[in-house]
Amino acid sequence: MRKFFLTVLLVSLFAVFGFSNTLVIKGSNTLLDVAQLWVEEFSKMNPGIKITLEGAGSSTGIAALFNGTTDIANSSRWLKDSEVQKMLELKKWFAPVLVAWDGIAIVVHKNLPINNITIDQLRDIYTGKITRWNQLNPNLPNAEIVPFSRNTASGTFEVFKEKVLGDEKMSPRVRMLESSMAELETVAKTPYSIAYFGVGYVDQSVKVISVNGVMPTKQNILSYKYPLSRPLFVFVDVTKGWPEEGPIADFLRFIVSKRGQELVEKAGFVAALGQ
């Protein structure tokens, strides 16, 4: 009986103070790998907290914050104007936490004899103005370019669209894929292909090429010399105030800690806090 009343008391306290032994994280596919590392390490330190992690895209994470189905939204982009307007209308307030820096890597099949591409050339490929590699350079193969992109729920898609396409529309011949890993694996086995995704996903199966003569190195990303550099965020709902206690607060403190930022570097991205 005493144990029963203690359990009821604890449940009541959780209800009153808003604490829970669960944590839901949704959003960016780019941040999925590093988020998995965070969750694994955090879970060892906090075995009583049940964590759910999804990485379907930045827009899905922000949408989940609005409808209250996530505690934390991982995002590889800033909030859209429409999302800020929606916050104002609903009187909800989302706060960003800078967790990493990234460069959107431009990758091609490893046998393609190209080492650099310009922003203008990327725009022409992804808008369909250029469809064959020898249109870029007569020394390149007379072969059809096979371009891949992240889907429209992706923050990486949004940043690429802003920095490369501008006001122009992506060509319908561009093949949309659901994840960064799907892009990596598809380019690795598809001759004459090109794609873009976060630098943390790059491995030896593909070739990274420079953009405007600049490679996505740590130094070039931090200095913004690399033209496709960007910050990576997590967003939390602070409508009722900043979380100071409980799983959300503990997880946020962990990911910006020295160990949390070491895991950012382990995942292939650039630490936000100068590791």
Side-chain angles (χ1 to χ4, degrees):
M1 183 64 71
R2 183 179 179 182
K3 184 178 181 181
F4 170 78
F5 282 117
L6 180 59
T7 301
V8 172
L9 176 61
L10 288 173
V11 171
S12 299
L13 287 173
F14 289 148
V16 171
F17 292 103
F19 302 155
S20 169
N21 63 345
T22 63
L23 182 64
V24 180
I25 306 167
K26 297 182 181 181
S28 171
N29 182 262
T30 296
L31 274 168
L32 183 59
D33 276 7
V34 67
Q36 287 173 332
L37 293 177
W38 286 334
V39 167
E40 289 171 9
E41 192 99 354
F42 184 78
S43 294
K44 292 176 185 177
M45 301 160 53
N46 302 272
I49 300 176
K50 180 182 178 181
I51 304 177
T52 301
L53 174 64
E54 298 177 9
S58 299
S59 293
T60 64
I62 302 299
L65 267 189
F66 276 114
N67 62 35
T69 58
T70 193
D71 299 306
I72 293 174
N74 293 338
S75 183
S76 60
R77 61 166 174 81
W78 187 250
L79 295 173
K80 299 178 184 178
D81 290 345
S82 59
E83 291 164 341
V84 173
Q85 183 61 38
K86 187 174 180 179
M87 281 198 301
L88 293 173
E89 292 172 356
L90 298 178
K91 293 183 169 54
K92 285 180 174 282
W93 315 112
F94 302 159
V97 179
L98 175 65
V99 294
W101 294 96
D102 179 32
I104 297 176
I106 304 301
V107 301
V108 297
H109 188 272
K110 62 182 179 180
N111 293 335
L112 192 64
I114 184 174
N115 297 307
N116 179 67
I117 198 165
T118 68
I119 290 291
D120 289 342
Q121 289 171 332
L122 272 175
R123 182 184 305 112
D124 286 347
I125 288 172
Y126 276 87
T127 56
K129 295 175 184 175
I130 289 178
T131 59
R132 305 189 73 81
W133 284 108
N134 65 340
Q135 290 177 276
L136 289 180
N137 185 323
N139 295 321
L140 291 175
N142 182 15
E144 185 177 353
I145 300 171
V146 185
F148 294 100
S149 169
R150 285 299 315 283
N151 61 21
T152 56
S154 164
T156 303
F157 169 86
E158 294 289 347
V159 175
F160 184 85
K161 185 173 182 293
E162 176 189 342
K163 290 180 175 286
V164 176
L165 302 187
D167 294 330
E168 298 191 48
K169 292 184 178 180
M170 190 170 284
S171 169
R173 67 186 299 274
V174 177
R175 306 178 193 183
M176 299 288 194
L177 296 175
E178 295 296 316
S179 69
S180 302
M181 187 58 68
E183 283 194 281
L184 172 69
E185 293 172 351
T186 304
V187 170
K189 64 185 181 184
T190 307
Y192 309 116
S193 58
I194 185 170
Y196 62 90
F197 47 77
V199 70
Y201 283 86
V202 170
D203 66 19
Q204 297 300 313
S205 68
V206 295
K207 178 195 284 189
V208 180
I209 61 177
S210 59
V211 179
N212 291 353
V214 182
M215 289 293 286
T217 63
K218 179 177 181 178
Q219 182 178 356
N220 289 339
I221 290 169
L222 284 174
S223 68
Y224 260 61
K225 183 178 180 182
Y226 183 66
L228 300 180
S229 299
R230 61 171 173 174
L232 303 177
F233 303 98
V234 303
F235 285 92
V236 291
D237 188 341
V238 295
T239 305
K240 297 180 180 179
W242 185 264
E244 296 182 358
E245 296 181 84
I248 299 174
D250 291 342
F251 189 78
L252 292 176
R253 279 191 285 266
F254 170 70
I255 65 179
V256 298
S257 70
K258 183 175 186 296
R259 180 55 183 158
Q261 290 294 292
E262 287 173 351
L263 294 175
V264 168
E265 297 270 341
K266 181 178 180 180
F269 297 99
V270 181
L273 304 178
Q275 297 294 311

